[in-house]
Amino acid sequence: MPVETLPPAPNLADYAQARQYFSWAAAQRLLSGLPDGRGLNIAYEAVDRHVATGRGGHVAIRAIGRTGTRDLTYRELSVLSNRFANLLRSLGVGPRDRVFTLLGRQPELYVAALGCWKNLSVLSPLFAAFGPEPIRNRLLLGDAQVLVTTTTLYRRKIAPQRDRLRGLRHVLLIDAPDRPPDDTLDLRTALDAQSGEWTIPATSPEAMALLHFTSGTTGTPKGAVHVHEAVVAHHITAGFALDLRPDDVFWCTADPGWVTGTSYGIVAPLTHGVTLLADDGDFDAARWYQVLADNHVTVWYTAPTALRMLMRAGSDLASRYDLSALRHIASVGEPLNPEVIWWARQTYKLSVHDNWWQTETGAIMISNYPSMPVRPGSMGRPMPGIEATVLRCGDDGRAAVTDDQVEVLGVDQVGELALRPGWPSMFRGYLHDEFRYRKAFAGGWYLTGDLARIDADGYFWFVGRADDVIKSSGHLVGPFEVESALLEHPAVTEAGVIGVPDEVAGEIVKAFVTLRPGYQPGETLRAELIAFGRRRLGAVAPREIAFDQNLPHTSSGKVMRRLLKARELGLPEGDLSTLERAR
Ligand code: ATP
Ligand code: MG
């Protein structure tokens, strides 16, 4: 191979060395900070810095909308976000005030986010598919003063309840008609009236920047608070785990309503100076391949559900598109089943790099890196700068909450995944819920609520969420292991596994399975799947199988096991604000 066609060396070439020499202070020096030492601001690092260093003409955002494609350069994004910052100031919106967005991946989302940070206001992005009630709850909980949205969403979801949202002072419509609805502003006209010049005020790294709601997979969503300093973690982790370089075309498929869509859908790609794709369409396998091919996407960050749906659509479909520009694929949000990795290796000739993190951690904490062999089923190893461990759990499936009871477990023992606090994108609190925040710490560790084990080589394996783990005949069963085993059967494309109370066993394992096209539910297949499970899993195999072509998912794409369980047991369904309504 001629030298110039050799693949470039990955950003993280030597894991052990990177961990040994890593420091957050050095990571921060990869960014420039505000001119004249006036602090650290996400928007400066994401946009203005590139303009200052001569890359203003590079395309920052390629927005793929329903009516066409629009490119925005770093310079254009800088000017537009300056206008947005000026607009906020002219409306009397200042530092710490909350600016919510209810938008898809439209260019205005990025302009609003960056302009908001330039004005030291706090961004809180909401998922546009939420119904009126979850939107109201979050706007009220988050003390929203400004909302940026579309005319249709406003008319449908906000206008009918505007009188209950008294704190909401300004609604900015990105596509207002000639006569905007009462009490709204036309964003385009308002921006045109503003200056494109703006000096970012001095910004403390500890200034609040983001309010992000969790996915609501296990209960009522919590509002996690993040600060400007988080950008240090966004940047370095995207370098290591996503392998971003300035010439990349990067596609993060997550909605901005979820933390992935902000940390890696907005901030990190821009700090790396890449061209990011902002695709406003819904999932459709053929269209997604078209997007990857047409735009020569080099790095693709997506989620297990999406990959499982692509797998369901088949390898033949994938083979009709030229995906040769793709260099790196990563996945987050849910366990990534080994079957999906094997399929991807055959289909895309690339592995999928799973990584783990949470709204609370603000950035990727555990990851498979391009320079390390992927162990299918493992979420990888902790980031340089991140100390992760597994702590012994009590009977309630959670690690002890008193400091003196905390016990670090050894190789291959299952316990609660815990992280040593202190990285820049660590959440600084749950909004209005100090008690819950405090409860998340013990013995100098942050307790994640997930169960995991660490193998002899330091790879982390996800076992389940503490709330989801099944106790059956003395065994602790993680639903993921069972689901992944079922996925190895050719008929199964997705599975959700829960524990159902049983007098003898305590709980028995029940699986809800979605079948691939061409397979029919029935007693024969049920018996076959039970036998298949028993061969693979032995004592922890599912004893009951139900067929379900429509497993409940959160809008961020996770299987909602708690809902499967509530329905199974006839219990109240709980907070359904994040349930995906139509797929
Ligand atoms: P809530 O906290 O409201 O119940 P949530 O935990 O789903 O919702 P997020 O912060 O969006 O909200 O998701 C983080 C969680 O997603 C993790 O704690 C973990 O349970 C799961 N997760 C993320 N990445 C992975 C992964 N690679 N493998 C397994 N699970 C993952
Ligand atoms: Mg959570």
Side-chain angles (χ1 to χ4, degrees):
M1 188 159 25
V3 172
E4 60 272 24
T5 61
L6 280 175
N11 289 331
L12 190 156
D14 182 330
Y15 178 74
Q17 211 176 44
R19 272 188 80 78
Q20 188 181 353
Y21 293 106
F22 184 88
S23 78
W24 286 109
Q28 179 153 349
R29 285 196 292 276
L30 298 174
L31 301 173
S32 59
L34 283 173
D36 310 320
R38 288 180 304 111
L40 185 65
N41 184 295
I42 298 177
Y44 186 81
E45 303 304 332
V47 180
D48 295 2
R49 180 167 64 100
H50 302 301
V51 179
T53 53
R55 288 192 87 240
H58 195 71
V59 175
I61 297 174
R62 165 158 294 184
I64 305 169
R66 284 161 224 272
T67 51
T69 298
R70 179 180 162 200
D71 284 348
L72 276 180
T73 64
Y74 277 89
R75 186 173 301 106
E76 287 167 327
L77 195 55
S78 173
V79 171
L80 282 169
S81 51
N82 285 350
R83 289 186 198 277
F84 194 90
N86 276 311
L87 172 60
L88 288 179
R89 183 182 280 172
S90 75
L91 294 173
V93 177
R96 290 178 296 281
D97 289 343
R98 312 283 159 74
V99 176
F100 277 63
T101 55
L102 186 67
L103 292 170
R105 277 147 284 193
Q106 287 125 324
E108 291 80 1
L109 167 78
Y110 305 84
V111 170
L114 294 159
C116 173
W117 291 322
K118 286 186 172 181
N119 189 46
L120 307 197
S121 304
V122 175
L123 176 76
S124 187
L126 294 182
F127 189 57
F130 278 153
E133 196 178 313
I135 292 174
R136 185 179 69 243
N137 291 342
R138 287 164 178 75
L139 292 175
L140 290 175
L141 183 69
D143 310 314
Q145 306 216 3
V146 180
L147 175 69
V148 189
T149 187
T150 67
T151 310
T152 310
L153 288 171
Y154 178 74
R155 287 206 166 113
R156 262 202 240 140
K157 302 183 181 184
I158 307 293
Q161 53 179 345
R162 182 83 190 256
D163 54 345
R164 299 174 69 181
L165 296 165
R166 292 190 195 284
L168 185 60
R169 286 158 51 205
H170 307 287
V171 173
L172 308 171
L173 300 181
I174 67 167
D175 55 355
D178 288 343
R179 289 192 45 219
D182 288 347
D183 293 327
T184 67
L185 281 175
D186 169 7
L187 180 64
R188 272 175 302 199
T189 319
L191 285 182
D192 285 347
Q194 297 296 330
S195 156
E197 301 287 323
W198 175 267
T199 303
I200 300 179
T203 310
S204 158
E206 282 300 313
M208 182 172 168
L210 262 166
L211 172 65
H212 239 300
F213 292 93
T214 61
S215 287
T217 314
T218 53
T220 309
K222 300 147 274 190
V225 171
H226 290 283
V227 300
H228 275 270
E229 190 192 25
V231 67
V232 177
H234 296 152
H235 182 77
I236 193 87
T237 56
F240 288 159
L242 306 177
D243 205 34
L244 289 186
R245 335 265 171 85
D247 289 332
D248 274 322
V249 178
F250 172 65
W251 188 20
C252 168
T253 63
D255 189 274
W258 310 116
V259 72
T260 309
T262 313
S263 295
Y264 300 97
I266 303 178
V267 181
L270 295 178
T271 65
H272 280 271
V274 311
T275 296
L276 73 81
L277 283 193
D279 171 47
D280 196 32
D282 295 328
F283 176 86
D284 173 85
R287 201 184 64 79
W288 271 34
Y289 286 135
Q290 196 77 56
V291 168
L292 287 168
D294 287 353
N295 298 288
H296 310 287
V297 171
T298 53
V299 180
W300 182 29
Y301 193 22
T302 189
T305 336
L307 291 165
R308 288 192 294 258
M309 288 197 279
L310 291 168
M311 189 166 92
R312 200 185 309 176
S315 300
D316 281 356
L317 180 67
S319 68
R320 286 183 223 145
Y321 298 85
D322 177 7
L323 307 180
S324 56
L326 258 185
R327 181 182 91 239
H328 187 63
I329 309 177
S331 158
V332 72
E334 269 202 302
L336 181 63
N337 320 87
E339 180 69 20
V340 176
I341 298 184
W342 295 321
W343 175 82
R345 282 179 182 170
Q346 274 191 346
T347 308
Y348 306 134
K349 309 287 176 278
L350 290 172
S351 204
V352 182
H353 298 75
D354 187 21
N355 53 63
W356 177 96
W357 58 294
Q358 305 179 305
T359 309
E360 290 87 341
T361 70
I364 299 170
M365 296 283 107
I366 298 175
S367 178
N368 288 281
Y369 308 92
S371 56
M372 262 168 36
V374 170
R375 295 192 178 175
S378 161
M379 25 192 211
R381 301 177 70 182
M383 277 284 158
I386 297 299
E387 188 185 349
T389 194
V390 162
L391 302 178
R392 183 178 300 285
C393 291
D395 283 344
D396 61 351
R398 295 294 308 264
V401 284
T402 56
D403 292 355
D404 54 343
Q405 290 171 341
V406 164
E407 183 188 341
V408 172
L409 293 177
V411 169
D412 275 335
Q413 287 183 288
V414 174
E416 183 163 355
L417 178 61
L419 305 164
R420 185 77 75 194
W423 66 94
S425 65
M426 171 72 178
F427 74 133
R428 302 300 201 265
Y430 287 127
L431 195 74
H432 307 318
D433 201 347
E434 178 66 17
F435 176 71
R436 197 162 188 172
Y437 178 65
R438 278 169 195 262
K439 250 180 51 182
F441 298 88
W445 295 97
Y446 161 64
L447 311 176
T448 65
D450 286 342
L451 300 185
R453 67 182 171 84
I454 311 173
D455 72 17
D457 299 316
Y459 281 74
F460 283 61
W461 298 75
F462 183 83
V463 172
R465 292 167 180 259
D467 305 12
D468 283 344
V469 165
I470 305 161
K471 290 190 197 112
S472 186
S473 307
H475 300 281
L476 262 191
V477 187
F480 167 55
E481 197 184 353
V482 181
E483 289 162 9
S484 287
L486 288 170
L487 245 67
E488 287 174 33
H489 190 282
V492 179
T493 185
E494 186 158 47
V497 165
I498 60 166
V500 181
D502 178 86
E503 279 187 11
V504 182
E507 279 185 304
I508 57 157
V509 178
K510 175 161 184 174
F512 295 80
V513 299
T514 305
L515 300 180
R516 283 196 205 223
Y519 288 90
Q520 293 305 321
E523 282 316 312
T524 322
L525 185 55
R526 192 191 315 272
E528 190 181 316
L529 288 175
I530 287 180
F532 181 83
R534 206 168 292 140
R535 280 199 301 280
R536 290 263 184 306
L537 298 159
V540 302
R543 287 233 231 123
E544 285 184 25
I545 302 264
F547 297 102
D548 186 341
Q549 290 304 103
N550 255 319
L551 288 176
H553 290 86
T554 64
S555 316
S556 53
K558 305 169 194 231
V559 177
M560 257 179 160
R561 295 184 193 86
R562 73 170 158 97
L563 187 53
L564 286 174
K565 186 151 179 170
R567 287 177 179 166
E568 175 72 21
L569 304 182
L571 296 171
E573 298 195 337
D575 188 314
L576 295 186
S577 61
T578 62
L579 176 67
E580 167 91 55
R581 304 273 160 190
R583 279 178 88 78

